[in-house]
Amino acid sequence: MAGKKVFICAAAEDAGYYGEIVTALDAWEVPHTELGVMPGPVTSLPDTIQQAIRDCEVFLRLCTTHTRQSDAVNLATASFQQLLQQEHGKGRRLVNLIFDQAYPLDDDEKKRLYIMAPGKARARWLEDLAVSVGAATLTQQLSRRALLGMGVGAALTLASGGVAGTLLVRQARAPQQEPLLPVRAKISGNPRFSFALSDKPAHSSYPAILQDGATVYAQPDLENDTSTSPDSSVYVLSAGSQKQRRISIESEPAVPRLNPVQSKLVAATNGILFLFSNPGGVFGPSQTSALIAVSVRDGGPIWKVTTALAGRPVLSDGVVYCVLQDVTKIEANAINYQTSLNALSLQDGSRLWRTTEYSFDTILTPAVSGGRLYIGSYLDQDHNIYCLDAKTGKKLWSYLTGGAVLGTPVIANGTVYVGSEDGYLYALDAYTGALGWRFASSVSFYAPPLIRDGVVFAPSQDAYLYALDARSGAMYWRAYMGVNPNRDNLDIRSSEANPVAVYRNVVFATLYGGLYAFDMRDGSQRWRYIPVEEDLNTISPPVISDGMVLVGASDNHVYAVNP
């Protein structure tokens, strides 16, 4: 099926939209060219772009909050509008495909054809697009070829071509497995109940909530508790029965003549809790900072390593992988330390190997899959993603990005997904490090993405949650994580974007003290819940347990929310 010649125009920050639009146009056999990425100040357009604009019949402009600020988009639009005036619109049309609900249509744009994508099913706005580019008429039954491009209907049997196994197709199958959750009439959460872990508010964070299989562990944030016996206990929670079991854990002694400090829960796996005690503060070790492994049965210690932990430990095949900071020299009031990537024996904490070859430093957490370890870097202009042999620590490959790599990589189906401060989310071949695709955001991807059924759910520091095709990087939708009204005066880029969670047809994300629920089929917001109405409240990443969404808030409570 052929249509009109299309020119696709988008701001450099919105380049991620190209993949999805191009895939649909290719499936409809619609000829097209695109503006492409033209970052920075643009004073004129290349001759090839100007010729493509003159040749096109449909000027398709992808509209977001970045559109009006793009010099390239403004120049291209002005060039096409000049053609419209000269030819009185004969055979040409300008179509605005709007991806942001907040995009302000001016009076001239309201008179032209525009398509609203926010809150609308992907198939619906793609069908509108098919009509606007001449691939179908308003009354025409779309052909099998067109349906393949939209990812509905006949795409159920598609093995290759188009966007393989699209989000809508997967959701069409979902009701056969488990029922979809209904959309709530009001934008509000439904707190079923809460666990009071402590009567003291958290200092600047939230309780630790970690999941090991079906078991959920929680610990209040009492890092700056000034009492003589800070509580390091960990609680076992059951969202279904509201029962709690307390695992008593001794607080670690601080430097001589000072009170003990809380041993903070940092990981839970295979019936073992990992805690970190650091009287010296967040960054850098002290003489008594320690990584501790305890049993969940009685809280008894299994082993203890005097060191400082940077990031979180990861367990695989009986080995604990983590970035550590070891004291090398103490001079007067200064403590010198060396950072290294380590493999520790789960049995006794002994070091199987360590490497200081790369610029690993604070807050980095590795990922392990298929006998390989993946980790990012950011010191000394080292902006690589590294792949190491998990048994030896030997480097297998590295991939250089344009910015610091602070997030934890995620490995799925032979692909490594990780964000960089250069504003891109990267998809690399897990075996060779070859680039599969990269997707651009206006800021950076920090939190690890979640991959479910071939869809990548990636929260960005620009306060949007992106749903991308895992194979191509084409964007299905993006959803704005509406900022907590109490935090609107703060810079969204300075906030920590937390990992997301999925339950049935709903994806959950937390930001600025709010828990947000989005329909995973089209990104429409279903509800939001803000447990603590304070200016500086924070909230933990969501955890799914017994059909509930568990989050910890800055009042040191864990809230179980009905999804």
Side-chain angles (χ1 to χ4, degrees), residues 77-399:
T77 303
S79 178
F80 185 77
Q81 287 178 330
Q82 185 177 8
L83 286 175
L84 291 178
Q85 293 174 357
Q86 293 173 351
E87 302 173 357
H88 303 290
K90 293 181 179 180
R92 301 183 192 268
R93 69 168 48 162
L94 189 153
V95 179
N96 288 311
L97 177 53
I98 301 172
F99 283 105
D100 279 352
Q101 186 71 46
Y103 179 80
L105 282 166
D106 59 30
D107 291 338
D108 183 64
E109 290 170 339
K110 290 178 181 178
K111 298 175 183 177
R112 300 185 182 276
L113 179 61
Y114 64 90
I115 301 169
M116 297 294 294
K120 186 182 294 185
R122 181 171 175 269
R124 285 285 184 86
W125 65 259
L126 275 173
E127 187 172 359
D128 293 341
L129 178 62
V131 173
S132 69
V133 299
T137 67
L138 289 173
T139 59
Q140 181 180 7
Q141 178 68 39
L142 293 182
S143 71
R144 182 177 187 276
R145 182 68 170 165
L147 289 173
L148 298 185
M150 291 188 290
V152 296
L156 286 168
T157 59
L158 184 64
S160 62
V163 178
T166 65
L167 188 62
L168 285 174
V169 173
R170 294 187 192 93
Q171 289 308 305
R173 292 170 174 169
Q176 303 172 10
Q177 302 167 2
E178 52 185 354
L180 301 181
L181 297 179
V183 177
R184 300 191 178 280
K186 297 181 179 179
I187 301 180
S188 62
N190 181 12
R192 181 65 62 87
F193 51 83
S194 65
F195 302 102
L197 299 178
S198 172
D199 57 359
K200 301 177 181 179
H203 175 68
S204 60
S205 186
Y206 42 73
I209 305 178
L210 301 173
Q211 194 168 25
D212 181 17
T215 307
V216 177
Y217 302 97
Q219 183 191 51
D221 176 30
L222 300 172
E223 184 176 14
N224 292 276
D225 189 357
T226 58
S227 65
T228 57
S229 301
D231 187 5
S232 296
S233 296
V234 174
Y235 296 86
V236 181
L237 305 183
S238 173
S241 62
Q242 305 188 37
K243 292 181 179 179
Q244 304 178 50
R245 178 171 71 87
R246 177 175 175 175
I247 303 173
S248 180
I249 298 174
E250 292 185 7
S251 298
E252 286 293 300
V255 292
R257 295 183 299 278
L258 291 181
N259 295 332
V261 296
Q262 183 186 29
S263 297
K264 299 200 71 174
L265 179 65
V266 292
T269 183
N270 287 18
I272 298 176
L273 303 178
F274 295 91
L275 300 104
F276 176 51
S277 174
N278 187 19
V282 178
F283 299 106
S286 69
Q287 294 170 267
T288 57
S289 56
L291 175 63
I292 310 153
V294 304
S295 170
V296 299
R297 292 192 301 272
D298 54 10
I302 300 175
W303 50 259
K304 173 181 174 181
V305 177
T306 302
T307 185
L309 176 69
R312 294 182 180 273
V314 175
L315 177 66
S316 178
D317 296 328
V319 179
V320 180
Y321 299 93
C322 53
V323 176
L324 299 176
Q325 299 167 325
D326 299 311
V327 174
T328 56
K329 190 176 183 180
I330 300 178
E331 296 177 331
N333 295 326
I335 297 179
N336 300 321
Y337 63 90
Q338 185 179 54
T339 302
S340 60
L341 177 62
N342 297 261
L344 309 180
S345 169
L346 178 62
Q347 185 175 359
D348 57 13
S350 61
R351 302 199 191 204
L352 304 177
W353 58 258
R354 70 190 294 265
T355 176
T356 59
E357 184 176 351
Y358 316 112
S359 302
F360 305 121
D361 205 76
T362 55
I363 69 175
L364 293 178
T365 300
V368 183
S369 176
R372 296 185 170 208
L373 182 148
Y374 304 87
I375 192 169
S377 181
Y378 70 95
L379 278 189
D380 304 323
Q381 303 303 310
D382 183 355
H383 298 158
N384 281 283
I385 301 164
Y386 287 99
C387 173
L388 312 176
D389 187 297
K391 290 185 178 180
T392 64
K394 178 182 177 181
K395 174 185 169 182
L396 300 177
W397 57 257
S398 63
Y399 183 91

